[in-house]
Amino acid sequence: MTTTETPTVLETIAATRELVRSARAAGKRIALVPTMGALHDGHLALVARGRELADVVIVSIFVNPLQFGPSEDFERYPRTLDADLAALAGSADAVFAPTVAEMYPGGASQTTVHAGPVAERYEGASRPGHFDGMLTVVSKLLNIAQPDVALFGQKDAQQAFLVKQMVADLNLPVRIEAVPIVRELDGLALSSRNRYLSESERVLALTLSAALRAAREASDRGESVAAARAAGLARFDQQPDVRLDYLVIVDPATFLPLEDDATGDGLILVAARVGATRLIDNAPLHF
């Protein structure tokens, strides 16, 4: 299937399955890019990678209520479908944009996916139930679209890890690929929530990428996990207006914290609040 100027908008599961059936009958490979909309260049990088890997690219746009806590920003999360469709023109073949009632006709899923113990750490500790809700909707999307490959952003590293774990544990016939983080020229990781930041808050938000850079510089110098972590934390000490949630260095194979004297690959994860906006970021390290 070739791309069209405007992606086909599919509002129902039945219509999406019909498109998938037709593509399969023609021997086409399918890529799925799950999103919550408010698309930016990071999302478009996922779509571009999907285009490289498959003949048909489906982008889902669905703000999933199950992954928002009661005090989080579900109601004000940006919903920009017309702009998203314009951004996807010429790259995605179809956009699956269901309503909440279409995805959860009974009001909520009676059956959910439990994300396991890793989901109780880091993002999961700050957002209880978030990853159960995320994996539940991802499992539904994978079942609906039945893709050969699904693309996720590396910025949400814990999410990508847990999706891969679910796919392996449940023997789902799909390959999961994490696409590298896309950043602004000054280092800020692209995020749909960046639009919440005021001009002064955006400057403060650079503390996250500065902390990652400091930790990477320490690891590049051959310093320990403990020293790299301390270098990252020092950046937050210099910016008390940025409220650190967590900064941790994990083993990317298990997502468990690395010991202070560990060697090998690491991944530094950080989350912080700038004003009312909560941001996350990460970067690979080596010790």
Side-chain angles (χ1 to χ4, degrees):
M1 186 179 293
T2 57
T3 60
T4 57
E5 283 303 310
T6 303
T8 300
V9 178
L10 307 168
E11 297 180 342
T12 67
I13 293 168
T16 305
R17 284 181 165 160
E18 178 58 27
L19 180 142
V20 169
R21 186 200 64 76
S22 297
R24 290 288 182 217
K28 303 295 187 181
R29 286 178 55 83
I30 297 171
L32 174 68
V33 180
T35 81
M36 293 202 301
L39 303 183
H40 50 65
D41 285 348
H43 295 111
L44 299 183
L46 306 183
V47 177
R49 179 58 176 158
R51 178 59 57 198
E52 294 173 355
L53 298 174
D55 307 295
V56 179
V57 179
I58 302 172
V59 176
S60 65
I61 295 179
F62 178 63
V63 183
N64 176 34
L66 292 193
Q67 63 195 73
F68 287 80
S71 62
E72 293 185 324
D73 57 348
F74 174 71
E75 293 299 335
R76 75 181 188 113
Y77 193 87
R79 291 159 171 84
T80 58
L81 182 59
D82 288 345
D84 293 343
L85 293 174
L88 292 169
S91 59
D93 297 289
V95 169
F96 176 45
T99 63
V100 172
E102 178 71 9
M103 291 296 283
Y104 303 114
S109 279
Q110 299 302 309
T111 301
T112 59
V113 177
H114 177 55
V118 168
E120 297 172 2
R121 297 173 175 266
Y122 326 128
E123 283 302 284
S126 298
R127 307 178 67 188
H130 166 72
F131 286 121
D132 288 0
M134 179 275 295
L135 289 184
T136 296
V137 80
V138 168
S139 67
K140 289 168 73 71
L141 292 169
L142 293 176
N143 185 44
I144 292 163
Q146 300 178 8
D148 297 278
V149 60
L151 294 305
F152 291 82
Q154 176 61 28
K155 184 179 75 68
D156 296 292
Q158 191 175 5
Q159 170 179 278
F161 174 86
L162 290 168
V163 170
K164 289 179 180 179
Q165 179 176 269
M166 176 185 73
V167 164
D169 287 348
L170 300 184
N171 306 113
L172 302 182
V174 60
R175 181 166 72 84
I176 304 299
E177 181 169 319
V179 176
I181 297 171
V182 177
R183 298 182 181 277
E184 301 280 6
L185 292 177
D186 58 10
L188 183 67
L190 295 186
S191 169
S192 298
R193 289 184 169 92
N194 287 352
R195 67 186 66 200
Y196 296 156
L197 299 169
S198 68
E199 186 175 340
S200 61
E201 288 171 344
R202 194 194 175 288
V203 174
L204 290 172
L206 295 174
T207 304
L208 280 78
S209 55
L212 301 184
R213 189 164 55 250
R216 173 174 276 180
E217 289 169 355
S219 69
D220 288 347
R221 291 192 298 267
E223 297 183 23
S224 67
V225 172
R229 185 169 55 247
L233 289 171
R235 295 290 181 161
F236 286 94
D237 290 339
Q238 297 164 12
Q239 286 290 2
D241 290 334
V242 179
R243 291 168 289 161
L244 180 64
D245 187 346
Y246 61 80
L247 185 151
V248 62
I249 300 174
V250 304
D251 180 343
T254 64
F255 253 68
L256 298 177
L258 283 179
E259 298 292 337
D260 287 350
D261 58 352
T263 58
D265 290 333
L267 184 68
I268 181 169
L269 311 172
V270 63
R273 264 186 202 283
V274 181
T277 305
R278 189 171 182 279
L279 301 173
I280 62 173
D281 204 345
N282 66 87
L285 306 175
H286 187 78
F287 300 95

